[in-house]
Amino acid sequence: MATLAGGFEDPSAEVLTEAAAAFGLLASAARLHIMWALSQGESDVTHLADRVGGALPAVSQHLAKLKLAGLVRSRREGRRQIYYVDDPDIVTVVRVMVGQLTARTAPAVTRGPVSGMP
């Protein structure tokens, strides 16, 4: 690994490959919406489909991919499968990215007239 000027080492090829795969999964707007919803709290597939506006089979397939990649986990609760994000770092990444982009697109809040302006 090469050391950068800031004292950080370059990650290994394996780590970069894993990160690229995770970002690849999150590159889908539907999967990112699911991750955003799950970052707010656990849910079953029916409620997720209602929340993200997706068809139940499609949301189920997205969840299967996210689960296979280790980004989402599930547990059985009676007849339902409850999905959740068990990694606080993934929750942070999703919340920061979506939050920053939301803030950039939000209209500026007017705090009163600017001096010299009517």
Side-chain angles (χ1 to χ4, degrees):
M1 284 194 226
T3 302
L4 301 176
F8 294 101
E9 292 184 357
D10 284 342
S12 68
E14 180 182 341
V15 168
L16 290 171
T17 299
E18 284 184 41
F23 282 121
L25 283 170
L26 296 177
S28 158
R31 285 192 289 271
L32 187 57
H33 196 172
I34 290 167
M35 291 297 291
W36 172 258
L38 290 175
S39 76
Q40 309 304 308
E42 58 189 31
S43 182
D44 67 8
V45 68
T46 303
H47 289 106
L48 277 172
D50 288 343
R51 180 167 178 182
V52 303
L56 197 64
V59 171
S60 185
Q61 286 180 352
H62 287 306
L63 284 166
K65 289 179 181 182
L66 292 167
K67 188 175 176 182
L68 187 62
L71 297 177
V72 165
R73 291 186 176 201
S74 68
R75 71 172 192 286
R76 184 153 299 282
E77 195 174 274
R79 300 175 89 187
R80 299 180 319 152
Q81 229 17 48
I82 304 297
Y83 293 90
Y84 60 97
V85 181
D86 194 31
D87 185 341
D89 294 330
I90 296 294
V91 170
T92 299
V93 167
V94 170
R95 285 183 177 175
V96 167
M97 178 56 80
V98 173
Q100 288 295 315
L101 293 173
T102 300
R104 288 181 192 171
T105 60
V109 176
T110 306
R111 298 182 187 210
V114 176
S115 298
M117 300 292 288

